[in-house]
């Protein structure tokens, strides 16, 4: 089966709603392909975040699934990890999430889960694209009594809420904690405040009034400043900021300082290792994770397994290596003991459990990791030539690596979603990193200019 994909990127199909590939026609054909691949008599869970265009894509996908004779289970707005959980717990054949995650409201996306709650491998996505070709399924469309039907699952949010509470130790409670939770006007706007309150916390909810167009708008995990301000204003113990589909989370400590995914991994890895609960004595992280994470964990005998950027690659490495903790600097944190994908609220509850067990504030816990200055640059390019065919860029990168030595590193890769080259440098001197990034960028622009 060919692995070449034109529609699917690193995390499903994504783009501006109404513009190919994010059109109702393509969503209809994807629904048909999903039903054809996973079984004409099967069932497909469809959920979404709070974007206005979600209604359009929900209807189109459901029509495609029903056209092939399969059953649709509609769960409405629910976090991406909640849809993965519902897919697995209801023994559905596949799950579909309509969300562009942290992107602005005008974008939307579609990502898929198999029956086990894990994201699909590349070869399955490639096969779905083949089934989406015009005419590929015309002879298999259901007719008469064989046409599928749709049903709404009214208790989906309650099921997921119970799952979240089960991930938190039954011997603990959140009484005495004041928590700001920023729901990004997204899929967790009801679930996140509810679970924290039911566990005993005093909750200040912000970003919890979705109107279809305000998702991720100056709020949430990608824009944590609103959370940080609210923590200080309300004298809260900490803040929790989710993104639009709540599969990622970042925190604020009581002083209003951001605690990102790398720090979360460090905190949780050390706690799990001390409790002998960290499988494989290692954490899975991407190539973007800060050097400080690896050095912090190495000092406690814990390794770091690196993967390409993307939580799906983190999960694949975790499954293959039998690890149970992994994640990304952006806040995707995966606890395979509690779920099959990044879950912002599961991660938040694990950190809260550590705070309650230890009696330590978040700032104190996060201080175990010393962060290296990290510089990120996106360089627009006219074309994407394999990096090993760019000798001048390779020489510039090697020269920077030689200068930084063991105290830094350089990572150059193409964006999976944009026409840009991503350059990341780490080292002790931020000013020098700026200079090196400028030199690498100049070479890249020249070598990748239109021929």
């Amino acid at each position: 089966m060919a692995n070449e994909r034109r529609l699917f990127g690193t995390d499903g199909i994504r783009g501006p709603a109404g513009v190919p590939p994010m059109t109702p026609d393509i969503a209809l054909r994807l629904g048909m392909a999903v039903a054809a691949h996973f079984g004409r008599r099967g069932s497909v869970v469809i959920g979404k975040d709070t974007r206005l265009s979600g209604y359009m894509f929900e209807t189109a996908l459901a029509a495609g699934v029903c056209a092939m004779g399969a059953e649709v289970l509609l769960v409405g707005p629910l976090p991406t990890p909640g849809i993965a959980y519902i897919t697995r717990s209801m023994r559905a054949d596949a799950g579909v999430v309509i969300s562009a995650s942290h992107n602005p409201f005008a974008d939307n996306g579609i990502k898929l889960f198999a029956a086990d709650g894990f994201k699909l491998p590349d070869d399955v996505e490639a096969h779905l694209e083949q089934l989406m070709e015009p005419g590929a399924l015309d002879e298999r469309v259901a007719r008469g009594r064989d046409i599928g039907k749709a049903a709404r699952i009214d208790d989906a949010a309650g099921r997921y809420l119970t799952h979240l509470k089960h991930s938190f130790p039954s011997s603990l409670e959140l009484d005495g904690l004041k928590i700001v939770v920023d729901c990004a006007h997204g899929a967790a706007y009801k679930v996140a405040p509810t679970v924290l309150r039911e566990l005993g916390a005093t909750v200040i909810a912000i970003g919890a009034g979705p109107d279809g167009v305000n998702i991720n708008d100056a709020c949430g995990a990608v824009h944590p400043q609103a959370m940080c301000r609210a923590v200080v204003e309300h004298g809260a113990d900490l803040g929790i900021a989710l993104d639009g589909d709540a599969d990622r989370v970042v925190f604020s400590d009581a002083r209003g300082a951001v605690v990102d995914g790398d720090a979360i991994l460090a905190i949780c890895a050390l706690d799990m290792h001390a409790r002998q609960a960290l499988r494989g004595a290692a954490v899975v992280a991407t190539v973007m994770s800060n050097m400080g994470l690896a050095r912090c964990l190495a000092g406690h005998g814990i390794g770091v397994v690196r993967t390409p950027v993307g939580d799906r690659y983190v999960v694949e490495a975790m499954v293959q290596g039998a690890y149970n903790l992994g994640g990304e600097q952006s806040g995707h944190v995966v606890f395979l003991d509690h779920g099959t994908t990044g879950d912002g609220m599961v991660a938040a509850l694990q950190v809260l459990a550590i705070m309650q067990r230890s009696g330590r504030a978040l700032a104190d816990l996060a201080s175990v990791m010393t962060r290296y200055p990290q510089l990120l640059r996106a360089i627009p390019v006219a074309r994407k030539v394999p990096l090993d065919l760019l000798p001048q860029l390779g020489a510039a990168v090697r020269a920077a690596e030689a200068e930084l030595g063991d105290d830094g590193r350089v990572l150059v890769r193409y964006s999976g979603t944009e026409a840009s080259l991503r350059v990341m440098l780490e080292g002790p001197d931020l000013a020098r990193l700026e200079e090196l990034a400028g030199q690498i960028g100049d070479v890249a622009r020249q070598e990748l200019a239109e021929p």
Side-chain angles (χ1 to χ4, degrees):
M1 189 179 297
N3 282 325
E4 183 178 355
R5 299 169 301 158
R6 294 175 294 103
L7 300 176
F8 286 91
T10 56
D11 196 17
I13 302 172
R14 189 175 296 183
V19 178
M22 285 307 300
T23 64
D25 174 64
I26 290 177
L28 174 71
R29 286 190 282 149
L30 177 59
M32 294 174 67
V34 168
H37 178 84
F38 289 100
R40 288 172 61 99
R41 293 292 178 267
S43 60
V44 179
V45 172
I46 298 179
K48 60 184 180 179
D49 64 22
T50 57
R51 292 164 209 270
L52 183 62
S53 60
Y55 295 98
M56 174 173 70
F57 293 115
E58 178 185 54
T59 302
L61 284 160
V65 173
C66 290
M68 298 305 296
E71 180 181 5
V72 174
L73 303 175
L74 297 169
V75 301
L78 197 68
T80 287
I83 296 165
Y85 169 74
I86 294 295
T87 299
R88 191 172 74 253
S89 67
M90 295 196 69
R91 300 187 179 184
D93 295 278
V96 182
V97 180
I98 304 166
S99 175
S101 189
H102 59 280
N103 285 28
F105 94 93
D107 290 351
N108 216 327
I110 302 172
K111 44 191 170 184
L112 306 172
F113 291 101
D116 58 6
F118 288 98
K119 292 181 180 178
L120 304 183
D122 292 353
D123 60 341
V124 174
E125 290 181 344
H127 183 233
L128 291 176
E129 289 196 15
Q130 293 172 11
L131 294 175
M132 292 169 66
E133 291 292 332
L137 295 174
D138 286 356
E139 299 302 317
R140 297 169 62 180
V141 172
R143 293 173 174 80
R145 295 178 182 272
D146 291 333
I147 294 173
K149 58 184 180 180
R152 189 162 294 279
I153 309 302
D154 294 324
D155 65 343
R159 290 172 181 244
Y160 177 56
L161 188 68
T162 300
H163 164 68
L164 289 176
K165 287 195 286 189
H166 283 165
S167 75
F168 189 76
S170 59
S171 60
L172 299 176
E173 55 188 22
L174 298 179
D175 289 33
L177 283 182
K178 182 186 288 188
I179 302 172
V180 170
V181 58
D182 184 346
C183 305
H185 298 301
Y189 76 101
K190 288 184 179 179
V191 169
T194 299
V195 69
L196 294 172
R197 288 189 180 111
E198 291 189 1
L199 290 171
T202 298
V203 178
I204 298 99
I206 63 175
D211 61 10
V213 301
N214 59 0
I215 187 170
N216 300 315
D217 186 9
C219 60
V222 181
H223 306 285
Q225 297 84 0
M227 167 193 63
C228 295
R229 287 194 301 269
V231 167
V232 175
E233 290 169 4
H234 291 276
D237 296 286
L238 74 157
I240 297 167
L242 306 164
D243 68 338
D245 68 335
D247 65 351
R248 67 167 72 179
V249 63
V250 299
F251 292 78
S252 167
D253 66 23
R255 303 168 300 183
V258 173
V259 178
D260 70 6
D262 284 343
I264 296 167
L265 285 174
I267 292 167
C268 293
L270 295 180
D271 174 78
M272 293 170 67
H273 188 61
R275 294 187 290 111
Q276 298 184 330
L278 185 68
R279 292 204 299 269
V283 169
V284 179
T286 76
V287 292
M288 296 298 293
S289 286
N290 195 275
M291 284 179 62
L293 172 65
R295 298 206 170 182
C296 165
L297 297 183
H300 294 81
I302 302 171
V304 173
V305 177
R306 298 276 191 179
T307 75
V309 174
D311 64 310
R312 63 182 295 184
Y313 302 115
V314 170
V315 173
E316 286 175 3
M318 292 174 70
V319 172
Q320 292 170 3
Y323 305 110
N324 60 345
L325 177 62
E328 297 187 280
Q329 186 182 81
S330 61
H332 286 116
V333 184
V334 184
F335 295 85
L336 279 189
D337 295 335
H338 300 296
T340 56
T341 189
D343 191 323
M345 281 310 300
V346 164
L349 292 172
Q350 305 318 300
V351 172
L352 288 167
I354 295 169
M355 290 176 62
Q356 295 300 79
R357 268 197 303 261
S358 66
R360 298 169 65 188
L362 181 58
D364 184 30
L365 290 170
S367 67
V368 298
M369 175 184 151
T370 301
R371 184 175 306 279
Y372 275 65
Q374 189 178 76
L375 185 70
L376 305 176
R377 289 287 181 269
I379 302 168
V381 295
R383 56 198 180 114
K384 293 183 179 181
V385 177
L387 296 178
D388 57 359
L389 298 181
L390 300 173
Q392 296 174 49
L393 179 60
V397 170
R398 287 191 296 273
E401 289 175 331
E403 178 177 331
L404 293 171
D406 293 337
D407 287 327
R409 64 189 181 111
V410 181
L411 175 66
V412 177
R413 65 183 181 89
Y414 289 114
S415 168
T417 57
E418 302 170 355
S420 64
L421 184 75
R422 300 287 176 86
V423 179
M424 187 275 287
L425 297 97
E426 284 181 328
D429 185 348
L430 184 59
R432 184 53 182 154
L433 296 182
E434 292 272 9
E435 294 173 358
L436 292 173
Q439 294 169 10
I440 292 172
D442 289 343
V443 172
R445 291 185 191 92
Q446 181 179 6
E447 204 164 16
L448 287 169
E450 290 285 3

